[in-house]
């Protein structure tokens, strides 16, 4: 056992008179208090466990992170509170003893009391002087949840960007062969007309028309796709969101009534105008309404609810359609995710991009077989400028 400063003093303790002893105890108490303050000011969690895995010390941050209470200290084994933590530091969960010794640094996820991503750093207490690890360990936990989330978000938007650019390139390239097809189909059409008296000419007219129709459709898809997907500069104007909803509904009127679907717009507050790009926001509404239509059976209904609070304007699209299962909910914003035979899987991704570019958010709640509610949240103008400042 090492002879620490404290042990030296303790060894001489019988030599001290009561006054000096009092001073010594007071000093120790002050130092302890100061250390405690320092440790509780640190944002990282600091835990000390003994060789049995029992928590001997934990600062405030650590208590919060792993859901320990003050009276667990000195009693509770770490692995009992946080089995995940035990796994990642190789505690033997039967004996509570650590199986492997080295200094350890690892990212772990804690699920209780909150979901956090944490970097764990563990050092045997005696490691620096080369002792074996018969003693305890110091564990430092740094909360890196925010860091991770923002990195994931960045990666995701970079990934979307590159997919979008690739797809736009391909779509653009398809333009030339399509043009050539159109021209040659016209040539065939003309030659066919000159051969009208031949018996097989009439038989060719119909397949030719089908080809022309399909080429036209393909051209439409590509043009639409390119328009939707190209990164466009926002052209900001003051917009009346409800007016735009009405405009989009007029465009979709025929399809809505074909499908025997009802649409109701319900406005609970006086809505302020927002700053936004007219075409893009209409595109977002169009995509959402189209998805709602495609999810519903005849007699279904789409409600569009509008409200505001101090900072945002909210538009909620509530349908009585097929709903989305919990596991699929996270996929709807992914490029090319679709459950439809003729779907492109780009609509929701585009809506999300448009909302992001407008400083807004999109939220989905859904229940299988019950319906889906999608909320768009637009920042009000004062909020936007505050953000920019
Ligand atoms: P697409 O409509 O081409 O499939 P989207 O990106 O618009 O692509 O939507 C992706 C998928 O999300 C859809 O295929 C569908 O499964 C699901 N989805 C989106 N909106 C709804 C909705 N309102 N109700 C049910 N499912 C939806
Ligand atoms: Mg869609």
């Amino acid at each position: 056992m090492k002879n620490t400063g404290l042990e030296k003093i303790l060894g001489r303790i019988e030599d001290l008179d009561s006054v000096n002893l009092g001073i010594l105890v007071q000093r120790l108490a002050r130092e302890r208090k100061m250390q405690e303050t320092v440790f509780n000011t640190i944002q990282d969690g600091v835990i000390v466990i003994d060789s049995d895995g029992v928590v001997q010390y934990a600062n405030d941050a650590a208590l919060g992170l792993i859901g320990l209470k003050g009276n667990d200290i000195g009693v509770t084994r770490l692995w009992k509170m946080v089995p995940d933590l035990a796994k990642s530091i190789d505690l033997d969960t039967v004996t509570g003893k650590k199986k492997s010794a080295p200094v350890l640094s690892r990212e772990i996820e804690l699920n209780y009391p909150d979901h956090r991503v944490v970097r764990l750093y563990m050092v045997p207490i005696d490691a620096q002087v080369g002792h074996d690890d018969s003693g305890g360990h110091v564990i430092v936990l740094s909360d890196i949840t925010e860091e991770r989330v923002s990195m994931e978000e960045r990666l995701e938007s970079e990934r979307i960007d590159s997919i979008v650019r690739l797809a736009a390139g391909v779509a653009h390239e398809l333009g030339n062969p399509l043009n050539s097809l159109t021209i040659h189909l016209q040539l065939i059409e003309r030659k066919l007309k000159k051969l009208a008296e031949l018996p097989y000419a009439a038989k060719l007219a119909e397949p030719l028309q089908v080809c022309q129709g399909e080429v036209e459709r393909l051209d439409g898809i590509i043009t639409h796709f390119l328009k939707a997907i190209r990164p466009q500069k926002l052209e900001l104007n003051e917009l009346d969101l409800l007016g735009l909803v009405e405009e989009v509904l007029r465009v979709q009127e025929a399809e809505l009534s074909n499908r025997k679907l009802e649409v109701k717009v319900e406005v609970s507050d006086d809505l302020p105008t927002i700053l936004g790009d007219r075409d893009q926001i209409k595109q977002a509404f169009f995509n959402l309404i189209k998805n709602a239509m495609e999810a519903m059976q005849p007699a279904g209904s789409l409600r569009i609810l509008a409200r505001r609070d101090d900072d945002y304007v909210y538009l909620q699209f509530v349908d009585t359609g097929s709903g989305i299962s919990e596991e699929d909910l996270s996929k709807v914003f992914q490029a090319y995710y679709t459950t439809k035979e003729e779907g492109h899987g780009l609509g929701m991704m585009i809506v999300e991009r448009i909302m992001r570019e407008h400083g807004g958010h999109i939220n989905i709640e859904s229940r299988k077989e019950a319906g889906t509610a999608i909320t768009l949240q637009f920042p009000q103008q004062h909020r936007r400028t505050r953000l920019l400042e």
Side-chain angles (χ1 to χ4, degrees):
M1 183 62 85
K2 239 175 55 179
N3 211 2
T4 66
L6 181 61
E7 274 154 4
K8 251 187 235 162
I9 294 170
L10 289 176
R12 282 176 24 214
I13 209 156
E14 49 268 32
D15 302 340
L16 293 172
D17 59 38
S18 63
V19 174
N20 276 323
L21 200 58
I23 292 173
L24 181 64
V25 170
Q26 272 175 14
R27 214 179 78 194
L28 284 175
R30 257 205 319 274
E31 270 175 21
R32 194 194 145 86
K33 183 121 188 85
M34 190 181 82
Q35 271 179 15
E36 212 155 84
T37 313
V38 169
F39 275 105
N40 283 334
T41 314
I42 297 175
Q43 305 222 319
D44 289 339
V46 179
I47 301 172
V48 178
I49 54 172
D50 66 14
S51 56
D52 290 326
V54 175
V55 177
Q56 295 297 341
Y57 172 79
N59 69 349
D60 284 352
L63 294 177
L65 268 175
I66 62 178
L68 275 175
K69 297 206 175 50
N71 55 12
D72 287 315
I73 288 174
V75 187
T76 306
R77 281 181 174 160
L78 188 62
W79 57 262
K80 197 167 178 181
M81 294 300 297
V82 202
D84 275 359
L85 204 56
K87 253 184 270 155
S88 61
I89 60 180
D90 288 335
L91 274 182
D92 184 327
T93 46
V94 179
T95 63
K97 300 241 192 245
K98 244 185 52 35
K99 287 189 288 193
S100 59
V103 175
L104 187 95
S105 172
R106 187 177 294 178
E107 255 180 46
I108 59 168
E109 273 186 69
L110 296 176
N111 293 311
Y112 178 85
D114 299 308
H115 180 257
R116 313 298 302 172
V117 182
V118 166
R119 173 149 285 284
L120 172 142
Y121 186 66
M122 183 166 81
V123 204
I125 285 175
D126 284 336
Q128 60 277 48
V129 281
H131 281 232
D132 66 16
D133 69 333
S134 56
H137 291 80
V138 180
I139 299 171
V140 179
L141 300 171
S142 317
D143 190 338
I144 53 169
T145 315
E146 316 300 330
E147 225 173 273
R148 268 282 290 274
V149 168
S150 71
M151 190 175 78
E152 270 165 22
E153 270 174 7
R154 213 191 58 229
L155 284 181
E156 179 63 14
S157 58
E158 272 171 17
R159 205 177 61 88
I160 290 175
D161 260 17
S162 61
I163 291 174
V164 165
R165 239 173 308 163
L166 183 74
V170 171
H172 186 76
E173 287 301 315
L174 289 177
N176 290 334
L178 264 185
N179 268 340
S180 158
L181 270 176
T182 311
I183 291 166
H184 283 90
L185 285 172
Q186 277 169 3
L187 280 177
I188 295 175
E189 192 183 20
R190 244 175 267 154
K191 286 188 179 154
L192 211 56
K193 271 190 187 133
K194 286 185 194 146
L195 302 170
E197 63 280 4
L198 294 177
Y200 52 80
K203 282 196 196 140
L204 287 179
E206 201 193 313
L208 180 67
Q209 231 170 27
V210 173
C211 286
Q212 282 176 320
E214 290 298 286
V215 167
E216 210 171 292
R217 199 164 69 95
L218 207 51
D219 192 48
I221 292 174
I222 289 175
T223 313
H224 189 77
F225 171 79
L226 282 175
K227 210 177 100 200
I229 214 147
R230 275 219 179 105
Q232 287 155 343
K233 255 189 104 156
L234 291 190
E235 210 179 285
L236 295 181
N237 281 302
E238 274 193 31
L239 302 176
D240 155 28
L241 288 177
L242 288 173
L244 294 188
V245 169
E246 296 294 345
E247 277 181 40
V248 174
L249 283 174
R250 266 201 296 280
V251 175
Q252 286 165 311
E253 207 164 46
E255 193 172 352
L256 282 162
S257 73
N258 270 346
R259 291 173 182 262
K260 306 208 171 9
L261 300 171
E262 186 193 38
V263 181
K264 265 188 279 177
V265 181
E266 297 169 26
V267 186
S268 40
D269 303 303
D270 227 359
L271 296 191
T273 55
I274 65 131
L275 218 49
D277 184 298
R278 197 186 161 76
D279 287 338
Q280 297 215 23
I281 293 198
K282 275 172 77 173
Q283 176 80 53
F285 294 167
F286 183 93
N287 292 2
L288 293 185
I289 296 170
K290 189 156 178 67
N291 280 344
M293 285 196 291
E294 288 167 347
M296 288 193 286
Q297 299 293 326
S301 91
L302 169 65
R303 291 194 304 151
I304 302 175
L305 315 175
R307 65 187 172 85
R308 66 175 287 186
D309 60 20
D310 289 343
D311 290 327
Y312 294 96
V313 176
Y314 302 85
L315 279 187
Q316 191 175 39
F317 296 74
V318 187
D319 67 52
T320 57
S322 56
I324 305 166
S325 70
E326 213 171 294
E327 59 191 287
D328 290 338
L329 210 51
S330 61
K331 300 184 199 149
V332 299
F333 296 119
Q334 289 174 4
Y336 301 116
Y337 171 75
T338 180
T339 54
K340 301 167 194 171
E341 219 148 88
E342 304 227 326
H344 300 296
L346 292 167
M348 292 300 282
M349 187 200 81
I350 290 168
V351 178
E352 207 227 345
R353 195 195 75 205
I354 292 173
M355 290 312 292
R356 189 154 25 95
E357 285 174 349
H358 281 83
H361 297 282
I362 176 166
N363 266 313
I364 305 194
E365 289 162 67
S366 188
R367 251 198 341 188
K368 203 80 195 128
E369 311 305 336
T372 304
I374 296 179
T375 311
L376 301 184
Q377 180 183 344
F378 295 93
Q380 285 185 36
Q381 290 186 39
H382 64 82
R383 167 99 196 170
R384 245 190 115 81
T385 43
R386 211 160 62 205
L387 278 177
L388 291 177
E389 277 162 15

